Amino acid sequence: MASLRPMIRSAARWRVAAAAAAPLRRRFATASDARSSGEAATATQQHAHPGNRVRVVEVGPRDGLQNESKSIPLATKIELIERLAKTGVSSIEAGSFVSPKWVPQMENSGDILEHILTKKIDSRVPLTYSFLAPNAKGFENANALLQKHSGAYLTEAEAFAGKTDRPGVELAVFAAATESFSRRNLNCDIETSLARFKDVIQGAKKLGIRARAYISVVLGCPFEGHEVNPHRVAEIATSLLEMGADEISLGDTTGMGTGPRTLELLRCMTAAGILSEDIAMHFHDTYGQALVNTVVALEHGIRVFDSAVGGLGGCPYSPGATGNVATENMVYFLESLGMDTGVDLDAMVDVGQWITQELGKPNDSAVGKAVLGARKRAAETPEA
């Protein structure tokens, strides 16, 4: 436990800094405590220290749903995205241009992208929608829709100029940190996969949009064990950044990661010259370590974290791996440390409860269930 003391001290510093900037913050005892007045919430956001700002990337509509065995209607997927857009998240992973032979659940991602580009989706903040395009065919399909609706989405240059009248679109690729996982997941070795990704990344840049790159199994592989070489991860990340990727999401796909090994990985990334602002962390909670690893990443300066509402997800190539860390848990945890996510916890809890009921599966968010329980108790307790 001694090794965690510096992180705990840092958490205390974050809380003090946030309290000084914005005296009124959530108390997190009940759902009603999470609701503050509109004026107070606005003041909190306006005065929050930049170092306390964390971007939560909601991956539920793609990574969360892709492994579901029961076919999910297109209308349900679109409704999930539209509900999430109202929670305050600024990034949503919306679909994947992969062969339906391999991932049947993503077959209608083109319809989802077209809906985003042609329909006005209400959102609290400017939104960027991310779509996986793992190869030339995937990029070709995504590009056809983007060209068809040219002008319906913001380019990076327009976003930097402050325009917010249209959604942003981002294309993403998905590498692996081990040869075994790459061959099983992508049907090729790592070097071949990187060669394929180059065209996708550079194609995105020609369109003027962001390119994101995921590296999976960075802290443990279901085929090669937990001793994944962090230097190899850094090499792959460097290659992707040199191709033009804007951000690298490091995925603990199996949930095998621990605090010390997370720190070792991030130190290797720094030693390779990769900036913390170019890194996102994507944790699964298979062994209950996702939030512990989040603290380590925060201490290292990481301010972007992927998560899935309701703890949705899993990996078809990683037997036994549970879902992504729940967005509700992530938001509660980050804001309890004094970080500012901009996400309405109550609204996210509602989305998590709705989508898990739609899928007929348990809600895997501990925070979500706690907030729902607090609401029920408050409703049943007579006022004095």
Side-chain angles (χ1 to χ4, degrees):
M1 294 300 293
S3 62
L4 292 178
R5 288 174 185 165
M7 301 171 202
I8 294 170
R9 288 197 294 271
S10 291
R13 290 199 300 273
W14 294 329
R15 285 196 296 269
V16 170
L24 180 59
R25 292 195 62 81
R26 295 172 175 168
R27 295 192 299 278
F28 294 94
T30 66
S32 59
D33 288 335
R35 297 188 181 94
S36 57
S37 72
E39 290 183 4
T42 300
T44 297
Q45 293 175 359
Q46 289 177 344
H47 294 95
H49 190 279
N52 289 343
R53 180 67 179 178
V54 172
R55 178 163 61 92
V56 174
V57 178
E58 173 56 55
V59 303
R62 198 282 298 180
D63 193 26
L65 297 183
Q66 71 171 3
N67 198 37
E68 291 294 319
S69 56
K70 175 178 133 180
S71 179
I72 302 169
L74 173 62
T76 300
K77 296 176 184 177
I78 289 175
E79 185 173 354
L80 173 59
I81 291 167
E82 291 184 338
R83 285 177 181 245
L84 288 167
K86 297 176 183 177
T87 65
V89 293
S90 60
S91 301
I92 297 176
E93 195 183 57
S96 177
F97 286 91
V98 295
S99 169
K101 174 184 175 182
W102 301 111
V103 189
Q105 206 64 260
M106 294 292 106
E107 183 175 12
N108 44 25
S109 290
D111 297 320
I112 293 172
L113 176 55
E114 192 145 32
H115 181 87
I116 289 167
L117 296 176
T118 58
K119 307 295 182 182
K120 174 66 175 176
I121 297 178
D122 292 333
S123 63
R124 296 189 177 202
V125 297
L127 258 170
T128 295
Y129 297 94
S130 181
F131 287 82
L132 189 65
N135 50 39
K137 181 63 175 176
F139 175 76
E140 178 184 324
N141 292 337
N143 184 48
L145 285 170
L146 292 171
Q147 296 286 3
K148 177 182 176 182
H149 300 287
S150 178
Y153 57 92
L154 289 175
T155 64
E156 279 192 278
E158 289 174 324
F160 282 132
K163 292 189 176 182
T164 60
D165 58 320
R166 287 155 286 155
V169 176
E170 172 184 84
L171 295 182
V173 296
F174 215 112
T178 67
E179 293 292 349
S180 298
F181 197 83
S182 182
R183 291 180 184 279
R184 191 68 64 94
N185 193 32
L186 300 171
N187 298 307
C188 64
D189 60 24
I190 292 173
E191 290 305 318
T192 301
S193 73
L194 292 175
R196 293 174 180 173
F197 297 154
K198 185 175 181 179
D199 290 340
V200 176
I201 293 171
Q202 294 186 350
K205 306 318 291 181
K206 288 178 182 177
L207 287 168
I209 62 177
R210 279 172 54 91
R212 194 179 210 232
Y214 296 86
I215 307 176
S216 55
V217 298
V218 298
L219 292 168
C221 173
F223 311 110
E224 298 185 22
H226 67 273
E227 293 296 338
V228 176
N229 186 349
H231 299 283
R232 181 61 174 140
V233 178
E235 289 175 0
I236 295 168
T238 299
S239 296
L240 291 164
L241 288 168
E242 288 175 347
M243 292 176 196
D246 295 283
E247 184 173 82
I248 306 294
S249 178
L250 301 176
D252 183 16
T253 313
T254 61
M256 291 181 183
T258 62
R261 288 196 294 112
T262 299
L263 180 58
E264 180 186 15
L265 171 62
L266 291 173
R267 283 175 172 169
C268 280
M269 300 291 282
T270 298
I274 299 171
L275 302 177
S276 294
E277 50 262 43
D278 292 333
I279 299 173
M281 299 304 296
H282 182 120
F283 293 119
H284 285 233
D285 209 24
T286 310
Y287 293 92
Q289 298 301 297
L291 296 182
V292 173
N293 297 335
T294 297
V295 172
V296 175
L298 283 169
E299 177 71 8
H300 198 80
I302 307 301
R303 293 295 182 268
V304 183
F305 294 90
D306 298 355
S307 58
V309 66
L312 297 176
C315 178
Y317 303 100
S318 181
T322 57
N324 298 280
V325 60
T327 304
E328 302 93 313
N329 295 3
M330 181 66 76
V331 169
Y332 180 98
F333 179 71
L334 289 170
E335 296 208 357
S336 73
L337 292 176
M339 311 305 285
D340 175 23
T341 66
V343 176
D344 184 322
L345 178 62
D346 274 289
M348 189 61 72
V349 167
D350 290 337
V351 178
Q353 182 68 358
W354 170 78
I355 188 58
T356 51
Q357 287 180 340
E358 286 288 311
L359 299 176
K361 63 187 302 178
N363 186 339
D364 282 339
S365 168
V367 167
K369 289 184 286 188
V371 169
L372 291 169
R375 287 183 191 170
K376 183 178 179 181
R377 288 193 300 274
E380 295 172 347
T381 302
E383 293 185 7

